[in-house]
Amino acid sequence: GTAVLGNVSPGEYRVGASSPSPEMYLKEVLFERQDVLTRPWEITNQTSGTLTLLFSNKSGQIEGSLVDALSQPVRGSQVILIPDQERDRPELYKTATTDQNGRFTFRGITPGGYRAYAWESIEANSWYDREVLSQYEQLGRPVRVQESSKETLALKIIPAPK
């Protein structure tokens, strides 16, 4: 697939793209051999060239279970997967909802280090705020995802503040 980006205003941009499949991840974005996936892309009036996006079907997967303080399964709760690095890339954040047995699954995970969290009560999307997340950093469950790996996690829900 080829496309032309025309009339782009000069400035700094972050490149992101939706995966063509839930089992894939965006592995690389290059503009004339320069990485523009992990850092901003500077566009000027003279910018011209080829932008290449590479998707991989070797994404990771995480399956797990969520329990409460009494080790009982928690159903219908949201589990959040947050990258250790590159937190300015929203596509690396993943959410899953537990089933009736407290089980959850994340697919299409970009290889790297993550922490998984499940809160009893937290304002939606507040985990994107570094200050909010720093209060819970040690309560997240660390996990390392490799290409094509399948990891398993056992999580305890983070209780609501009293």
Side-chain angles (χ1 to χ4, degrees):
T2 303
V4 174
L5 298 174
N7 298 320
V8 178
S9 297
E12 247 186 33
Y13 292 87
R14 300 282 317 177
V15 177
S18 297
S19 169
S21 159
E23 305 298 322
M24 299 177 86
Y25 73 96
L26 183 58
K27 183 173 184 169
E28 186 177 78
V29 180
L30 298 174
F31 178 71
E32 298 295 319
R33 291 186 249 150
Q34 178 185 7
D35 173 24
V36 294
L37 176 61
T38 60
R39 56 187 171 165
W41 181 20
E42 182 72 37
I43 295 180
T44 67
N45 287 329
Q46 284 73 43
T47 300
S48 176
T50 302
L51 180 68
T52 305
L53 285 75
L54 175 65
F55 289 91
S56 172
N57 62 356
K58 295 181 179 180
S59 64
Q61 180 176 319
I62 298 173
E63 294 181 347
S65 59
L66 177 64
V67 296
D68 62 18
L70 301 173
S71 296
Q72 297 299 307
V74 179
R75 63 180 173 162
S77 186
Q78 195 172 47
V79 181
I80 315 298
L81 189 65
I82 299 176
D84 289 337
Q85 306 293 317
E86 301 181 271
R87 289 191 175 162
D88 56 345
R89 292 182 56 198
E91 77 275 11
L92 296 180
Y93 291 70
K94 302 283 185 190
T95 61
T97 302
T98 58
D99 66 13
Q100 67 274 11
N101 300 312
R103 309 267 320 142
F104 61 89
T105 303
F106 294 108
R107 290 184 170 78
I109 303 169
T110 300
Y114 294 85
R115 284 188 179 271
Y117 300 85
W119 287 274
E120 194 172 69
S121 176
I122 193 169
E123 186 179 334
N125 299 317
S126 63
W127 48 83
Y128 287 106
D129 184 326
R130 291 180 194 274
E131 286 184 34
V132 170
L133 191 59
S134 69
Q135 299 170 41
Y136 300 100
E137 199 80 37
Q138 297 307 313
L139 299 175
R141 182 72 189 264
V143 60
R144 185 117 195 107
V145 176
Q146 306 294 329
E147 280 196 338
S148 302
S149 70
K150 192 173 191 178
E151 308 300 328
T152 304
L153 282 180
L155 291 178
K156 281 198 173 186
I157 198 157
I158 299 169
K162 301 206 187 238

